[in-house]
Amino acid sequence: MGVERGPKWGVGRIFVKKIGPYGGSNSEGKWWFCKRADRWNSSNHNRLPPLWAGVRFPAVPRESLVGKQLSGYTLESEVGEGGTSAVFRASHPQHGVVAVKVLREKLRNDKTAVTRFLREARFGERVVHPNVVKTIEIGEATPGMHYLAIEWALGELLEKYARRNGPLAPHVAADIVSQIAAGVQAAHEAGIVHRDLKPENVMFDAASGAVK
């Protein structure tokens, strides 16, 4: 994690950018309002030596899992990432092509992160519906390396499809919304609230019209 100086914001204030653990700006990187150049941000006031402003720290080597075996799943390519996990396209002798979500190495000894990862994974097991990706397996490949294998959804992110093809025809939009609502209803009946429903979290297969 590092910082870099940004443009001035008002008199005596600057932006400080939080750099992700692997360098660059990612889901963990944000601009923070700072009252003073020697403070991290106005909310926690952790000290940051003034000379560090403008310094970018070396990137931490990243764990490489592509090409490796994980409890029978061959991780072929990384297709997504977040602050707590990475998602891979994988193949399995029995299940075929699947998506495998793996808890990040830096969080494997974090009891809170592990508990949250497993809780969210088990929520998925409780919902069985055509418009919700199927949970295939929840496991621990090695101590601390928790993973979740789920159905590989065909198509692309709804956000990308809509951006490229929008505005969508009314009947197409209505069908997409109807399928999303059906999946959400199934989750609600299982006692689960999604809390992060957005086009970036929906897969749409234009060939079949299916939504996951």
Side-chain angles (χ1 to χ4, degrees):
M1 181 174 66
V3 297
E4 60 183 19
R5 182 184 292 274
K8 292 182 179 179
W9 180 72
V11 177
R13 297 190 180 186
I14 63 167
F15 279 115
V16 171
K17 189 176 183 181
K18 182 181 178 186
I19 303 301
Y22 305 120
S25 178
N26 59 15
S27 59
E28 297 182 3
K30 297 180 180 179
W31 289 98
W32 297 86
F33 293 112
C34 297
K35 292 184 178 180
R36 295 178 56 187
D38 63 344
R39 292 192 181 275
W40 177 248
N41 64 51
S42 59
S43 62
N44 61 26
H45 298 295
N46 291 328
R47 284 286 180 178
L48 178 69
L51 292 179
W52 287 11
V55 175
R56 194 182 183 101
F57 292 89
V60 178
R62 183 175 181 176
E63 178 184 43
S64 177
L65 295 176
V66 174
K68 294 187 177 181
Q69 290 273 341
L70 194 72
S71 298
Y73 298 92
T74 301
L75 306 184
E76 299 174 344
S77 62
E78 186 172 335
V79 296
E81 62 177 357
T84 61
S85 60
V87 182
F88 301 85
R89 176 189 168 99
S91 59
H92 187 276
Q94 179 181 351
H95 304 303
V97 178
V98 300
V100 176
K101 185 176 182 180
V102 183
L103 184 66
R104 288 203 179 282
E105 183 179 24
K106 64 178 182 177
L107 297 176
R108 291 174 193 162
N109 293 319
D110 185 327
K111 293 182 179 179
T112 300
V114 171
T115 298
R116 184 181 297 114
F117 180 89
L118 295 177
R119 182 176 64 244
E120 292 178 357
R122 289 173 183 137
F123 281 163
E125 284 187 312
R126 292 162 50 185
V127 186
V128 180
H129 189 274
N131 296 118
V132 178
V133 291
K134 178 183 177 182
T135 296
I136 297 172
E137 182 180 359
I138 301 170
E140 187 176 9
T142 59
M145 185 182 278
H146 296 276
Y147 69 89
L148 165 66
I150 61 176
E151 168 191 3
W152 179 262
L154 297 177
E156 63 181 316
L157 294 177
L158 177 58
E159 186 271 337
K160 291 184 178 180
Y161 179 83
R163 186 183 297 276
R164 188 176 66 253
N165 297 282
L168 303 181
H171 72 280
V172 174
D175 185 55
I176 291 174
V177 172
S178 177
Q179 292 186 68
I180 293 174
V184 171
Q185 177 64 29
H188 287 181
E189 290 175 354
I192 298 170
V193 177
H194 193 290
R195 297 201 309 171
D196 195 23
L197 188 62
K198 55 188 178 182
E200 294 93 328
N201 288 336
V202 176
M203 292 295 292
F204 176 65
D205 182 18
S208 65
V211 171
K212 292 280 186 178

